[in-house]
Amino acid sequence: MCGIFFSLGQHGYLDASNAVLECLERRGPDHIGLLRRVIVGAASRRVEDIAHPSKYLTFISAVLCLRGSAVVSQPLVDELSGSVFCWNGEAWRVDDKSVHGNDAELLFRMLLQATRRSSREDQPANAEEINSVCGVIGSLSGPYAFIFYDAVHQQLFYGRDALGRRSLVTRKGSDGTLIISSVCDDSIHEDWREVEADGLYILNMRNDINITKVISGNTSEIEDVSFVPSHIPWSTRNLSAKMPCVLVSLP
Amino acid sequence: MSHKRPVTTSILFSGGLDCTILARLVHDLLPKGQSVDLLNVAFENPRVVAAAASISKSSLQSDTARPSPYSLCPDRNSGFSSHEELCRVCPGRIWRFVCIDIPYTETLNHRAQVKSLISPHNTEMDISIAYALYFAARGSGTVCDQATGEVAPYTTSARVLLSGLGADELFGGYTRHATAFSRKGHPGLLDELELDFYRLGKRNLGRDDRVISHWGKEARYPYLDESLVSWALTRPVWEKCGFEDFTGSVEACSGSGLPTLEPGKKLLRLLAWKLGMTRVAAEKKRAIQFGARTAKMEGGKTKGTALID
C-alpha cells in the first residue's frame, strides 16, 4: 500500500499539511519522496513571464514495498522528458501476462513510450497519444490509484481501477488550487470528494493557450480556474471470459 | 514446535463462508511451514452488553455469570467454529486465531482518527464498518496457545491482509438479494446484483483502503480479481445464487446425500462442501458491522444513514 499526493498551486507550491504527510508515511513506511515542478505558460514568451511561472506542481509518493527485492523510490521521474509517476497499486498482469519485477517501473516505461515527444514541438497531445495512455492503463489487472504527469504535453492523467480498490480523493479550491491525494486533509474541511472509479481523468495544464478573447475591440486574457478534467470512461460491461482486462473506450 | 519465519499472510476472518474459503484455498497455495494469522475482531458494544445484563438479571443469574462482551459478538463464535473446522480439514499448518478485542473506551479514543480517515464519507454506517476494518488492520490482540491454553498478547507482522469482500456482490449473499428474487424473480435479482457490484468502488473500497492502509497494510481482494469477476459475470444467475433451489426440495436433498444449504451464494457453498468444509458451507451471512457489533453502540435509534457528529 502506498500514499500518493499531487497539488497544483497558482502562486506558489501548495504543500501537503503535516497531518497529510503523516498519513502518507503510515501508508508507505518504506520510502517517501517529494518532487516539485513549475510550468511556464507556453503562450507567453516574454522574459518577465519566465520569472513568473504560471503553475506550481508538487508530487509526493510514500512507498510500502511488498514485491521485488529492493525498494523502488517514488515519485518516478524521467530525466529526459521530465515526466513524473506516482503509483499506488499492484499491476498483477499487463496484457494478461504476469508482471515480474517492479510494476511501477514497468508501467512508467510504458507510459513514457506512449507519450514520447513527437516531431511536433509544443503541441498538445492528440487523440492517438491519449489512446496510447488509455491502452497502457486499460491493459492492467490489479488494484491501483495513480497520478502521471506527461511533461511532454503538459497533461496530468489520474484515476483508479474500475473496481475502486484504492483510495483517491480530490479537492478544487476556489483560489484555483487542486489537490489529488490518497487521503483528505482534515485542516481543509470542505469540498473533498472521491475521484470516481469510472475511468481515466486528464487535466490539460496548457490551458493558457488561445485564451485571448476579443470583447468589443479590447483584448483580454482569461485565466481558466475551472479545471474540469476530461474523462474517458471504463467500459466494464464488455467483460468476457476471454478478455479479463477492463476495456477502455474513447468517446 | 515454533516457526521462526515471520508471518506474511493474514486474513480478515469472521468465520463466515467467504473468508473461510479463502483460508482453505490459501492452504493449497502457501508452503506448509508458513503460518497464517486469522484476524477476528470483536467490539464491546455498551448497548448489547446492557441488553444482555438485563436478561441475566431477570433470570436471577449472579453478576459473575455475566458473559464477556466479546463473546456476545456473533463473529467471534463463528470465527472459533470455522477455525476449528480449518484446523481439522487442513492439518499440518499453524492457523493462528487472533482475538482482537476492542473495549468501548478504545473505540472512543480512535473515533476522531477513524472519522478523519473515512472522509469524505461521513455516515454512521461508514464509521461502524470502518472501526472493524481499522482495528483488524492494526492486528493487535491475543492468541490462545492450543497446547497449554495460555493466552498471550500478539500483533501480526503480516503486511498483507486478505479479505473476502466482493463475494456477496458476485454470488448473491445479502438478504436483499433473496428479497429481490422473491419479489421479482431472476430479473429483480440481476438488477440488485448489478447495482451492488458497480457500487462497490464508490460506496466501499476507497473508504476501506484509507482505513486499512493507515497501518501500513495492504488489503487484497481475491474475489475481485479481474479474471474471476469476468468469469462470474458471465455465469447464469441461477448457477451462482441458488435461491430457487431452496423452496420445497429440502426432503429430496437430504435423502440423496446432497447438502441442504442456505439460499444465496450457492456456487461458493458447493465449493466449500467440495473442499471438505461442510460446516461453513451452511453458514448464514452476517454483515461485518453486525457480526463484530460495531453498529449502533451509542443508541439503538441511530440510523446507518445518519451523519456522524
Side-chain angles (χ1 to χ4, degrees), chain A residues 180-193:
Chain A
I180 302 167
S181 165
S182 296
V183 293
C184 292
D185 186 343
D186 253 359
S187 59
I188 313 169
H189 293 296
E190 69 287 342
D191 300 327
W192 289 96
R193 41 177 203 82

Side-chain angles (χ1 to χ4, degrees), chain A residues 1 23 26-27 29-30 64-67 88 90 92-93 140-142 160 163-169 182-184 186 192-194 196-197 236-237 239-241 243-244 246, chain B residues 112-113 116-121 159-160 194 197-198 200-203 205-207 209-221 224-227 229-231 233-234:
Chain A
M1 197 63 68
C23 279
R26 289 190 67 137
R27 289 177 66 97
D30 294 333
L64 173 76
C65 181
L66 290 174
R67 289 158 78 190
N88 170 23
E90 299 278 12
W92 300 118
R93 291 187 296 279
L140 304 179
S141 295
R160 300 160 69 189
L163 296 170
R165 286 165 285 188
R166 295 293 164 95
S167 168
L168 202 60
V169 296
S182 296
V183 293
C184 292
D186 253 359
W192 289 96
R193 41 177 203 82
E194 293 208 322
E196 295 293 332
T236 51
R237 279 163 172 79
L239 287 173
S240 71
M243 268 283 246
V246 174
Chain B
Q113 175 67 270
S116 167
L117 285 169
I118 64 175
S119 176
H121 285 273
R159 282 176 147 184
V160 170
E194 192 169 324
F197 187 77
Y198 290 110
L200 258 179
K202 183 176 178 63
R203 186 185 245 196
L205 295 174
R207 170 201 70 197
D209 175 48
R210 288 192 288 282
V211 156
I212 291 169
S213 300
H214 187 69
W215 299 103
K217 305 289 170 78
E218 176 172 290
R220 294 185 184 171
Y221 304 103
L224 296 184
D225 173 79
E226 280 85 347
S227 306
V229 166
S230 52
W231 174 83
L233 290 179
T234 61

Side-chain angles (χ1 to χ4, degrees), chain B residues 90-111:
Chain B
C90 306
R93 184 185 304 277
I94 293 180
W95 297 100
R96 197 172 293 107
F97 189 88
V98 186
C99 292
I100 299 173
D101 296 338
I102 308 297
Y104 186 53
T105 49
E106 180 98 1
T107 305
L108 291 179
N109 285 342
H110 289 262
R111 182 178 168 81

Side-chain angles (χ1 to χ4, degrees), chain A residues 2-204:
Chain A
C2 301
I4 60 178
F5 176 94
F6 165 83
S7 74
L8 164 68
Q10 299 286 348
H11 307 291
Y13 293 107
L14 180 56
D15 285 324
S17 70
N18 284 332
V20 167
L21 277 175
E22 227 178 88
C23 279
L24 292 175
E25 281 186 290
R26 289 190 67 137
R27 289 177 66 97
D30 294 333
H31 182 268
I32 188 162
L34 178 145
L35 198 73
R36 289 189 163 135
R37 283 264 185 286
V38 293
I39 296 180
V40 178
S44 171
R45 301 232 189 289
R46 293 178 297 181
V47 170
E48 42 275 36
D49 282 350
I50 307 293
H52 299 285
S54 65
K55 294 179 184 63
Y56 297 79
L57 313 183
T58 303
F59 301 86
I60 302 174
S61 257
V63 175
L64 173 76
C65 181
L66 290 174
R67 289 158 78 190
S69 50
V71 178
V72 170
S73 61
Q74 283 195 35
L76 291 169
V77 189
D78 177 52
E79 292 303 331
L80 202 62
S81 60
S83 294
V84 183
F85 188 44
C86 296
W87 171 252
N88 170 23
E90 299 278 12
W92 300 118
R93 291 187 296 279
V94 173
D95 276 331
D96 212 24
K97 290 191 280 276
S98 290
V99 172
H100 301 288
N102 189 273
D103 54 342
E105 285 177 325
L106 171 66
L107 290 173
F108 191 38
R109 280 198 300 275
M110 294 172 74
L111 289 169
L112 290 173
Q113 179 74 5
T115 55
R116 70 188 182 282
R117 188 178 293 276
S118 62
S119 57
R120 308 161 299 118
E121 286 287 323
D122 274 345
Q123 291 296 308
N126 61 17
E128 193 188 307
E129 279 149 355
I130 292 178
N131 242 337
S132 292
V133 174
C134 285
V136 173
I137 302 299
S139 69
L140 304 179
S141 295
Y144 60 82
F146 79 95
I147 299 162
F148 169 61
Y149 176 57
D150 166 16
V152 175
H153 306 98
Q154 293 181 340
Q155 284 189 139
L156 192 77
F157 294 85
Y158 61 100
R160 300 160 69 189
D161 74 270
L163 296 170
R165 286 165 285 188
R166 295 293 164 95
S167 168
L168 202 60
V169 296
T170 185
R171 179 184 183 269
K172 273 187 260 185
S174 50
D175 51 355
T177 57
L178 175 71
I179 296 175
I180 302 167
S181 165
S182 296
V183 293
C184 292
D185 186 343
D186 253 359
S187 59
I188 313 169
H189 293 296
E190 69 287 342
D191 300 327
W192 289 96
R193 41 177 203 82
E194 293 208 322
V195 173
E196 295 293 332
D198 62 356
L200 194 63
Y201 288 87
I202 308 165
L203 203 61
N204 194 336

Side-chain angles (χ1 to χ4, degrees), chain B residues 260-307:
Chain B
T260 41
L261 300 174
E262 285 285 306
K265 296 194 287 193
K266 165 182 167 182
L267 191 148
L268 290 184
R269 293 182 188 283
L270 290 175
L271 174 63
W273 191 277
K274 185 175 170 183
L275 293 173
M277 309 287 287
T278 55
R279 197 215 58 80
V280 80
E283 183 70 43
K284 274 188 191 308
K285 163 72 189 177
R286 209 169 29 240
I288 195 173
Q289 68 269 39
F290 302 118
R293 294 290 197 227
T294 54
K296 299 184 181 177
M297 288 202 211
E298 278 86 36
K301 298 234 173 19
T302 315
K303 292 186 85 159
T305 48
L307 298 184

Side-chain angles (χ1 to χ4, degrees), chain B residues 9-13 19 23 36-40 79 82-83 86-87 95-100:
Chain B
T9 308
S10 64
I11 305 178
L12 189 61
F13 194 75
C19 58
V36 175
D37 287 347
L38 306 173
L39 308 178
N40 182 277
S82 290
H83 177 233
L86 205 55
C87 291
W95 297 100
R96 197 172 293 107
F97 189 88
V98 186
C99 292
I100 299 173

